[in-house]
Amino acid sequence: MTDKINIAIVGLGFGAEFIPIYQRHPHTNMYAICQRNTASLNEVGDKYGVERRYTDFEELIADPEVDAVHINTPIDDHAWMSMDALHAGKHVASTVPVARTIEECRLVVEAQKASGKKYMMMETTVYTREYLFVKEMLDKGELGRLQFVRAAHHQEMAAGNWPAYWPGMPPMHYSTHCVGPVLALTGKLCEWVSCLGSGRVDEKYARHYGSPFAVETAHMKLKDSEVHAEITRSLYNTAREYIESFDAYGSERTFEWTQLEAGQPVIFTGEDGERVPVPDYAHLLPEPIQPFTTGGVYDMEGEPHMSFTQRGGHGGSHPHLAHEFVMSIVEDREPFPNAVESANWTCAGIGAHDSALRGGEIVRLPEFTLI
């Protein structure tokens, strides 16, 4: 490709953090932004110097100049927006999860196949510096034989002022931050899941979705693998600092991501453990967007300035996510994770909650997520 890809960002809360990355990426033009609230839309547009602005999503995807949309909207909007954009001939990146139901996941996969466009779920965990570090160790053989993987995502949301769809959400319905790294490390898909619910949330949370559990813990059977995985998820009434963590147990060495947000992971050799610093892996990215892996203050051209703060959020994953999506288009290849992988990761959590409601009964993932 010689022309730059015209990117449109939909949803400008979390989504606004990607604007300066696309502005600096050598293969993209930060073409348009979309948000329902006109005042917020104009505030962000003025702040970052984006001239093309939409309050209506359907008008945005009808614009023939838009090549790709990056969706950062509430969860219930992910599926229909992804499908509409794919059917309109746009490449799609969507924040997690793919959808709220297995049927919606199926429709997104079908829309991607019918359109021939790229679809990527922007799972932050598999592009964090910690994940890239342990993946490099695994690829180099430093762990030895991989024996077991597990991950956890804990977040006490009871004290926050969250949108109406969050209170009482089943923990595993938002589980890709712990499903993603264990499946990505093994390079496998989840075949079936068995999950138990533990504890109880307050009735004011339980009544929203009919989900009583404070914590849900699942075992995942991976397809064509001798290694299997364990994941744990909590959202309400479980006292815990926010953490997304994962562990990889090998025959020679073991990696355990810190259980505190600001700490360093531990590498075990035998029974001896050592905390180790983790590099930012900026060298994997084009030079103009490398600063976004570690945070700092930059202007919309990526130069040091006080116009906004780019925090290197989610373990420095944001520029890696944007780069993977863009390069899948430039190189005409599948992004990671692609539509099927994204659906598998999402459906693993949906199936896990279903299993918990049935007392741990095995729930097999649908065939469309396994091919």
Side-chain angles (χ1 to χ4, degrees), residues 74-252:
I75 294 173
D76 286 343
D77 293 331
H78 294 179
W80 74 263
M81 283 187 166
S82 295
M83 287 185 282
D84 282 4
L86 288 165
H87 289 314
K90 314 302 182 185
H91 302 288
V92 172
S94 173
T95 191
V96 302
V98 173
R100 287 294 304 275
T101 68
I102 288 176
E103 176 62 12
E104 287 177 327
C105 287
R106 182 183 66 80
L107 291 172
V108 170
V109 170
E110 289 181 354
Q112 185 278 318
K113 290 181 178 178
S115 71
K117 297 298 180 178
K118 313 302 178 188
Y119 174 92
M120 177 181 172
M121 182 177 70
M122 304 293 263
E123 174 46 61
T124 56
T125 317
V126 299
Y127 287 95
T128 61
R129 59 184 70 92
E130 290 83 5
Y131 175 85
L132 295 173
F133 181 72
V134 71
K135 183 66 165 60
E136 183 178 50
M137 290 182 63
L138 181 64
D139 291 345
K140 288 181 176 179
E142 294 176 1
L143 298 183
R145 181 191 296 274
L146 187 62
Q147 305 284 34
F148 177 65
V149 285
R150 70 181 178 193
H153 180 189
H154 296 290
Q155 183 174 9
E156 173 53 273
M157 298 181 71
N161 183 23
W162 299 96
Y165 64 87
W166 276 111
M169 180 180 290
M172 285 294 179
H173 277 200
Y174 195 86
S175 63
T176 63
H177 290 335
C178 50
V179 174
V182 297
L183 294 182
L185 278 175
T186 57
K188 302 296 183 180
L189 297 170
C190 178
E191 187 173 11
W192 57 256
V193 62
S194 172
C195 181
L196 291 174
S198 182
R200 291 291 184 272
V201 294
D202 295 340
E203 176 57 28
K204 65 180 179 179
Y205 299 124
R207 65 171 176 259
H208 285 279
Y209 294 94
S211 175
F213 307 120
V215 181
E216 293 180 329
T217 300
H219 284 101
M220 296 195 299
K221 165 69 170 63
L222 308 191
K223 184 180 179 182
D224 301 324
S225 176
E226 62 184 15
V227 177
H228 305 298
E230 173 193 298
I231 57 172
T232 303
R233 185 72 175 96
S234 66
L235 275 168
Y236 287 93
N237 297 148
T238 303
R240 185 65 171 87
E241 179 190 51
Y242 183 94
I243 189 67
E244 300 167 17
S245 67
F246 54 86
D247 306 326
Y249 292 83
S251 59
E252 301 298 326

Side-chain angles (χ1 to χ4, degrees), residues 33 56-57 90 104 151 189 214-215 231 297 312 318 358 368:
I33 53 177
D56 185 276
F57 178 72
K90 314 302 182 185
E104 287 177 327
L189 297 170
V215 181
I231 57 172
V297 182
H318 297 176
R358 292 192 261 164
F368 75 86

Side-chain angles (χ1 to χ4, degrees), residues 7-62:
I7 300 285
I9 291 183
V10 185
L12 301 176
F14 168 62
E17 297 194 16
F18 287 88
I19 292 175
I21 298 173
Y22 289 122
Q23 287 175 325
R24 289 285 288 171
H25 196 286
H27 291 293
T28 58
N29 172 40
M30 186 58 249
Y31 174 76
I33 53 177
C34 180
Q35 180 148 306
R36 296 183 183 96
N37 184 291
T38 302
S40 297
L41 175 70
N42 289 331
E43 180 182 359
V44 173
D46 293 346
K47 186 176 185 179
Y48 295 110
V50 181
E51 294 184 2
R52 190 63 60 93
R53 306 171 190 181
Y54 289 92
T55 57
D56 185 276
F57 178 72
E58 297 300 331
E59 289 183 8
L60 169 72
I61 60 175

